[in-house]
Amino acid sequence: MLSSAVRSAKSLRLRPTGLSRTFTSTRYARTDALQPASFSVFTDEEQMLRDTVKRFATDVVAPKVREMDENEIMDPSIIKGLFEQGLMGIETNPDQGGAGSSFTSAIIAIEELAKVDPSVSVLCDVHNTLVNTVIRKYGSAEQQEKWLPQLSESKLGSFCLSETGSGSDAFALKTRATKQGDHWVINGSKMWITNSYEAEVFLIFANADPSKGYKGITCFIATKDMGVKIAKKEQKLGIRASSTCTLDFDDLKIPEENIIGGEGKGYKIAIEILNEGRIGIAAQMLGLAQGAFDKSVPYTYQRQQFGQPVGTFQGMAFQIAQAATEIETARLLTYNAARLKEEGLPFTKEAAMAKYWSSYVAQKVAGSAIEWAGGVGFTRETGIEKFWRDSKIGAIYEGTSNIQLQTIAKFVQKEYS
């Protein structure tokens, strides 16, 4: 349990339930000589968080993974457990029910959850790095006091940007918001929306003034009981337990005070938040690759053929060595981007690199892991094949791999031309 893991931490803060919500507020790890530390060095609190999330994932999530995947539904007890463990308000101020921890702490949690189930990982990721962050960074003091405690303690959030005709070109969205007295009325629909089936709080991006183009896009906060309708729940290749739905808004009435960041600021919010969110997806793909590797490699040293473990044959050993190296490069890119973000330094290029490479590595390693385990890896019983199915989404959501390459190319061109 989290509480027992951090009782000795100086910054300990106990909730009434006995669960600690505080992990670390340290911006980045330093050595005793105050020299920059390697990316494999974490604060004591960050390491305790990693250990805690690992236990939660192993003890609570793992026994339910196959059932959730087969049924294509998230077990409500998993969501409840994430809240109870303090993993749904990692960066949120303790006064608002959160842990008051670092961005890197959120990345650690996302990675560890993905080693067991990427579906649970992305649920936690979107809630923390997108929904909570938007309200923390752009919400008024009143909005933060109203919404962040709910999002830290019990209510799942959803980020509603994509539409049928606005995926990579997110600002081509058609959902409209019309001012009527002291409220706004939203009409339109959203597609591919993560967490939407279970969510109770929705951040909706709609154009309040189409004459201004993308500069009319505004971010609204809504609750399910306002009339958010789930039109369709997608049946997917991977991350099946993570809900992905089409949402309809038919004269959805939202109070004016539910505008986040001001009218017409939605495009700015989306751009900045998705840069951070890409580090979260990189962490998810990193954890996925490591999870597949951890499941398959031990089998290669147990399986005997021609009088020796198959993993000791040079052909197999070199594949495993290359995969281990690629996972480590993905880890370094991901945590470098996270630390840059924490330090207030530019990180857009590094976030794009991390997401692009981690997604590539996840798909490659997960595919190889199936082959290393042979016929056993091809069966659903082992869970190895699920990692490959789950890996495919990494190159698609929160910016396709081509969009990441385009972003990186622009930075390279600017530097060298």
Side-chain angles (χ1 to χ4, degrees), residues 137-395:
K137 290 186 67 173
Y138 302 101
S140 65
E142 292 77 14
Q143 288 171 333
Q144 291 177 23
E145 287 299 321
K146 178 178 181 180
W147 298 104
L148 289 176
Q150 300 179 51
L151 291 165
S152 294
E153 297 173 356
S154 62
K155 294 187 176 180
L156 185 64
S158 185
F159 186 86
C160 309
L161 178 63
S162 297
E163 298 179 6
T164 304
S166 60
S168 294
D169 184 12
F171 297 150
L173 61 84
K174 301 297 183 183
T175 298
R176 297 289 181 256
T178 305
K179 182 73 177 296
Q180 294 186 6
D182 61 353
H183 63 273
W184 291 80
V185 175
I186 295 181
N187 284 283
S189 64
K190 297 292 179 179
M191 197 170 188
W192 316 117
I193 305 304
T194 302
N195 290 356
S196 50
Y197 190 77
E198 302 87 0
E200 295 182 71
V201 178
F202 299 82
L203 296 184
I204 302 171
F205 290 82
N207 201 319
D209 189 350
S211 68
K212 295 181 179 178
Y214 69 87
K215 292 187 177 180
I217 296 174
T218 302
C219 180
F220 298 86
I221 189 165
T223 57
K224 196 167 193 174
D225 58 13
M226 289 179 179
V228 176
K229 299 177 182 177
I230 296 174
K232 178 187 178 184
K233 187 172 183 286
E234 301 291 346
Q235 292 180 303
K236 308 189 298 293
L237 170 70
I239 58 167
R240 292 176 176 175
S242 167
S243 63
T244 305
C245 302
T246 296
L247 303 179
D248 285 344
F249 313 122
D250 298 321
D251 291 330
L252 181 66
K253 187 175 179 180
I254 298 179
E256 185 169 9
E257 61 265 26
N258 282 25
I259 288 180
I260 300 290
E263 187 177 341
K265 301 300 182 182
Y267 77 97
K268 181 176 183 292
I269 293 172
I271 288 174
E272 294 184 0
I273 291 304
L274 287 175
N275 284 331
E276 297 184 23
R278 284 165 183 164
I279 306 175
I281 299 301
Q284 182 204 17
M285 291 295 113
L286 166 62
L288 185 158
Q290 189 67 64
F293 190 90
D294 292 347
K295 268 188 177 289
S296 184
V297 171
Y299 179 80
T300 70
Y301 299 125
Q302 298 164 8
R303 170 72 168 168
Q304 296 270 338
Q305 290 288 280
F306 305 104
Q308 69 183 84
V310 295
T312 63
F313 285 97
Q314 187 181 72
M316 183 79 80
F318 281 12
Q319 290 181 41
I320 293 171
Q322 183 175 357
T325 302
E326 289 173 341
I327 291 171
E328 187 64 14
T329 62
R331 179 170 290 109
L332 294 173
L333 283 169
T334 299
Y335 282 98
N336 177 54
R339 295 301 195 193
L340 287 173
K341 187 268 176 188
E342 282 186 354
E343 294 170 31
L345 297 172
F347 67 92
T348 301
K349 179 184 72 174
E350 290 76 11
M353 287 178 167
K355 183 185 183 294
Y356 163 73
W357 185 246
S358 295
S359 297
Y360 169 80
V361 170
Q363 186 173 328
K364 182 180 178 183
V365 172
S368 294
I370 295 173
E371 297 174 20
W372 297 338
V376 172
F378 196 67
T379 66
R380 293 206 300 268
E381 184 177 356
T382 63
I384 298 174
E385 56 81 35
K386 178 183 179 297
F387 283 111
W388 182 82
R389 287 190 286 106
D390 290 351
S391 74
K392 298 296 290 183
I393 191 60

Side-chain angles (χ1 to χ4, degrees), residues 2 6 9 11-13 20-25 45 94 98-101:
L2 180 60
V6 296
S11 59
L12 179 64
R13 188 179 77 85
S20 169
R21 306 282 295 209
T22 299
F23 307 120
T24 180
S25 57
E45 292 89 349
S101 304

Side-chain angles (χ1 to χ4, degrees), residues 128 282 410:
N128 275 286
K410 288 180 179 178

